Amino acid sequence: MRPHRRLDVWNKSIDFVINVYEMTKSFPKSEEFILTGQLRRAVVSITSNIAEGAGRQTKKEFIQFLHMAQGSASEVDTQLEIAYRLGYLTDAEKSNLENNLENISKMITGLQKSLKNSIR
């Protein structure tokens, strides 16, 4: 089994990708190659960076990829806000997605701290 598959944060991120894909199905067709595409790429980037980092040779490399995953999480947060302000998300949808994203972000931060502490 690949190392990333054992990480809770990777598994939660995969679930989040599926949630975002399902949610964006209801976005207007005119957003397909703009906001929908950008949001989907950014959310996939979170989990992809976690996986790529877990497969690297050193903890320092893994930490760097976790930083990139955090950057992608910030992109997703921004795009969710845009979708909300455009009226594509309800208050409940936005709140649910933001809560899930916040939990994933905290898990990434915790993993970064754990890796940093194990290097010292």
Side-chain angles (χ1 to χ4, degrees):
M1 180 186 287
R2 296 281 189 198
H4 61 275
R5 291 186 171 271
R6 291 186 288 256
L7 296 171
D8 288 339
V9 67
W10 181 82
N11 284 292
K12 289 203 182 294
S13 295
I14 290 289
D15 292 340
F16 188 61
V17 168
I18 303 307
N19 289 340
V20 168
Y21 265 70
E22 289 297 318
M23 179 266 308
T24 55
K25 285 180 182 178
S26 66
F27 281 19
K29 198 75 170 153
S30 62
E31 291 292 352
E32 184 175 358
F33 299 108
I34 306 164
L35 186 57
T36 301
Q38 186 65 30
L39 181 52
R40 287 178 173 184
R41 281 187 296 279
V43 77
V44 167
S45 180
I46 295 169
T47 196
S48 295
N49 278 302
I50 293 167
E52 188 169 353
R56 292 297 174 140
Q57 296 296 313
T58 68
K59 291 177 182 177
K60 280 188 164 190
E61 287 178 297
F62 192 2
I63 292 166
Q64 184 60 36
F65 278 91
L66 292 173
H67 284 296
M68 288 186 270
Q70 285 287 30
S72 294
S74 292
E75 280 186 69
V76 170
D77 180 61
T78 298
Q79 292 154 5
L80 290 175
E81 182 64 29
I82 292 167
Y84 176 73
R85 290 187 187 194
L86 289 170
Y88 304 156
L89 297 175
T90 66
D91 290 337
E93 289 171 327
K94 180 180 184 253
S95 178
N96 181 51
L97 290 166
E98 286 181 338
N99 286 338
N100 287 334
L101 183 60
E102 182 66 25
N103 288 335
I104 290 166
S105 190
K106 285 178 182 178
M107 291 175 80
I108 292 169
T109 299
L111 183 53
Q112 286 171 321
K113 286 180 183 177
S114 175
L115 290 167
K116 285 177 185 176
N117 288 337
S118 71
I119 292 173
R120 294 180 187 156

